[in-house]
Amino acid sequence: MPLIVKKPEGTAGSAFPAIAIGCFVAFGGVLYGYDTGTIGGILAMPAWISKFATHSHLVEGVQTKYISTSQSAMIVSILSVGTFFGALSASFAGDLLGRRLGLVLSTIIFSLGVLLQTASTAIPLFIVGRVIAGFGVGQLSVLIPLYQSETSPKWIRGAIVGAYQLAITIGILLAAVVDNSTKDRTDTGSYRIPIAVQFAWAIILFVGMIFLPETPRYMIKQGKPEKAARSLSRLRRLDVDHPALVEELAEITANHEYELSLGKASWLDCFRGGLFKRLMTGCLLQSLQQLTGVNFIFYYGTSYFTNSGFTNAFVDSMITSSVNVASTLPGLYLIDTWGRRNLLLFGATGMAVCQFIVAIVGTVSGTTNLAAQKTAIAFICIYIFFFACSWGPIAWVVCGEIFPLKVRAKSLSMTVASNWLLNFAIGYATPYLVNNNPGAPAQGVDLKSKIFFIWGGCCFICIFFTWAMIYETKGLSLEQVDELYAKVSKAWKSPGFVPTVSFIDVQETNQDVRHMSLAQAEGNAMRKRSVHDDEMIDEKPQKY
C-alpha cells in the first residue's frame, strides 16, 4: 500500500481544479448531516416540547407535556419520505437540467422546506416542511456523488467522492454544537435558530454552483462535444487541443457510443443482465450502511443517552459527532490506497465487535453503573471510527462509479432511494424499540442497549456481503470499471485487475457489438490493429 496518494507520473495538466470543485460540491453533505444531527436535539428541548406537544400526563403531581412515540417517529422519519422521492426524481433533474442545474434546483427546494419548519407552530406544518426539505436533500444525495464521479481524476476519485461523507459528518457536528448552544433558551429561539441556520448552508451551495462547470460526461451524453471539451479543459487545466485532453475526451465519447450501440437505456434496462447485478450491489450497500445503526446514534443519540442514565446527553452527542468527523479523514486516504474492498471488510468487522460489546455491557450492567456507561461510550466512539473511515464514505464512492454513463443517473437514483427507504424504516421503528421521549410514558418494547444486538448482527452480514459483491475499483476510470464488470465474473477475483480495452479501438472497427461480449469486441479490435500494423511493415520501403 503506497504511503501517499499522489498524481501518477506522466499525467498531464493539473488535478487541483477538479479536486477543489469536487470538494466544494461535497459541501452539500452539510445540509443532510446537519438535519440528521439537529432533529434529535430539537425533540429533547423543553421549549419545543412546550410549543408542539399535544399530550400530557401527571409526573409527581405536575401535569407534564410530552411528544408521543408515534409523533416522534413521524417527525424524525418523515424527512426520509421526502428524500426517497427526491432521490428517485434526481435522475430526471440530472438528465434533463444537467448535474449542475439539478443541484441548484435541489437547494431551492430544500430552502423552502426549511422556511416552513422555521415558521411552524404546530406539528402538521413542521412535518410538511420536513418532507419538502427532505425532497431537496434526496436530490442532492444523488447529484453530488454523480457530479463528483464525472469530474474527478481516477487516481483520487475515491477521496473526492468520500468528501461528501466528510461534509455529512461536519454537518452532524455543527448541529450538535448549535443544539447545545440553544437548548437552555426558554423561547422559540431554542429550536428556530438551529433550524434557520440551514439557510446559510443552502445559500453557500446555491451561489457556488452557479459558477461551476457542467460535467464533461453529461455534455457528451447530450451530444455537445465542444462544451464537453471546454468543461474538461477547465477541470484538467489543459488547452482544448492538448493531446492528453483529446485522448481522455475521445475515450469518454467512444465508451458512451459503445453503450448506445447496445441500445437505448430505459428504467427497465437497469434491471437487465449485468446492470441488475450492479444495481443490487448499490442498493444492498446503501441499505446495509443504514442497518449498521449509525443513524440511530445521530437521530436519537441525545434521547437514548438520557433514557439510558447518561448524565450529559448533549455533551455525549457532541463527543460522538467529533469522533465521526475526525475518523472520516483517514478513510479518505485509505479509499485510494488500501482500496474499497479491504476498507469495507475492515470496517464491518470492527463495527460488529463494538456493537456486540456495547449491547452486552449495557444489558448486563443496566443504567446506573458509571463505569459501564463510560465503557459503552468508549466503544460507541470506536464503532463510529470504524464506520466513518469505511462504510460512511465508501457507500457513496462505490455507487457513484459502478454504473455505465447511459444508466448512471437512473441507477444511482434507485440505490440512494434504497438508503432513504431504510433510513425511514429505522427512523420510524426506533421510538418503538427504545423509549426515546424523555418525560413520556414508556411505550413499545424499550430495548435500551439490547438494540445494539440488532445493529451488530447487521454489521456481521456486511462482512459477507462485501466479500461476495463488492468489486475493487481503485485506480480505474469510470470507463475501465465497465470493462471490469464485463470481464470479471466474481467480486473476490477483482483485486489486481488490469484494464486492456480501448473503447476508441472498438469504435474504429465499426463492429455490430449488440450480439457480442466486450471481450469479443476487444479481440476483433486487436486483430484489426495487428493486421494494420503488418500492412504498415509490408509497405515500408526495403533497403538493399
Side-chain angles (χ1 to χ4, degrees), residues 92-326:
F92 297 103
D95 283 341
L96 293 177
L97 300 177
R99 291 22 171 170
R100 183 179 68 89
L101 291 180
L103 286 168
V104 171
L105 175 64
S106 302
T107 58
I108 294 173
I109 296 173
F110 173 81
S111 298
L112 175 60
V114 172
L115 177 63
L116 293 178
Q117 291 178 73
T118 305
S120 63
T121 57
I123 289 177
L125 184 59
F126 192 81
I127 287 176
V128 171
R130 283 184 61 75
V131 171
I132 295 174
F135 193 91
V137 170
Q139 288 192 331
L140 287 170
S141 65
V142 174
L143 295 174
I144 289 173
L146 181 60
Y147 185 96
Q148 292 172 311
S149 295
E150 292 188 349
T151 56
S152 304
K154 64 182 181 180
W155 57 273
I156 199 171
R157 185 178 64 246
I160 293 175
V161 180
Y164 175 58
Q165 177 65 23
L166 176 63
I168 292 174
T169 65
I170 292 173
I172 294 172
L173 175 59
L174 289 172
V177 172
V178 175
D179 280 355
N180 191 57
S181 300
T182 65
K183 70 180 189 299
D184 295 325
R185 292 177 63 115
T186 57
D187 59 4
T188 59
S190 65
Y191 62 86
R192 280 185 168 142
I193 292 173
I195 295 172
V197 163
Q198 295 174 96
F199 283 118
W201 318 140
I203 291 170
I204 292 172
L205 185 62
F206 176 86
V207 173
M209 290 309 302
I210 292 175
F211 299 100
L212 296 188
E214 183 54 85
T215 74
R217 287 176 171 85
Y218 175 75
M219 287 302 178
I220 290 296
K221 183 179 173 70
Q222 294 299 109
K224 300 176 180 178
E226 296 83 6
K227 290 185 177 180
R230 289 197 296 271
S231 173
L232 193 60
S233 171
R234 185 173 172 185
L235 291 167
R236 301 293 184 262
R237 201 173 281 176
L238 291 170
D239 293 334
V240 291
D241 56 354
H242 190 283
L245 188 143
V246 172
E247 181 181 0
E248 182 177 357
L249 196 62
E251 185 69 8
I252 294 171
T253 304
N255 173 256
H256 181 55
E257 292 178 356
Y258 169 79
E259 292 172 6
L260 291 180
S261 69
L262 302 178
K264 291 185 177 181
S266 65
W267 284 90
L268 192 59
D269 288 325
C270 299
F271 297 88
R272 291 173 175 161
L275 294 180
F276 179 68
K277 177 180 180 179
R278 302 197 213 184
L279 181 64
M280 289 304 299
T281 299
C283 289
L284 288 172
L285 178 61
Q286 290 281 355
S287 299
L288 286 170
Q289 187 205 50
Q290 289 297 311
L291 289 171
T292 60
V294 68
N295 277 339
F296 164 74
I297 294 172
F298 294 118
Y299 274 145
Y300 294 109
T302 303
S303 301
Y304 167 76
F305 292 138
T306 299
N307 290 329
S308 297
F310 293 84
T311 55
N312 295 300
F314 276 92
V315 174
D316 291 337
S317 291
M318 289 179 62
I319 292 172
T320 56
S321 298
S322 299
V323 172
N324 196 23
V325 173

Side-chain angles (χ1 to χ4, degrees), residues 521-541:
E522 178 192 14
N524 291 342
M526 292 178 67
R527 282 191 292 273
K528 182 174 181 180
R529 170 168 283 191
S530 177
V531 170
H532 179 266
D533 291 343
D534 291 342
E535 290 174 350
M536 292 294 293
I537 292 174
D538 292 339
E539 292 175 2
K540 188 175 181 179

Side-chain angles (χ1 to χ4, degrees), residues 7 28 32 133 148-149 213 316 327 330 435-436 451 462 473 512 544:
K7 180 180 174 182
Y32 167 25
Q148 292 172 311
S149 295
D316 291 337
S327 302
N435 179 28
N436 75 298
I451 195 171
C462 290
T473 53
D512 182 2
Y544 297 96

Side-chain angles (χ1 to χ4, degrees), residues 353-374:
V353 172
C354 291
Q355 297 277 26
F356 286 130
I357 290 174
V358 172
I360 292 169
V361 169
T363 302
V364 172
S365 302
T367 61
T368 58
N369 188 316
L370 182 60
Q373 289 184 15
K374 292 181 178 178

Side-chain angles (χ1 to χ4, degrees), residues 390-414:
S390 59
W391 282 76
I394 292 183
W396 304 107
V397 173
V398 170
C399 290
E401 64 189 10
I402 63 174
F403 300 111
L405 178 59
K406 69 175 182 177
V407 296
R408 187 169 296 145
K410 295 181 178 68
S411 298
L412 189 55
S413 290
M414 287 186 280

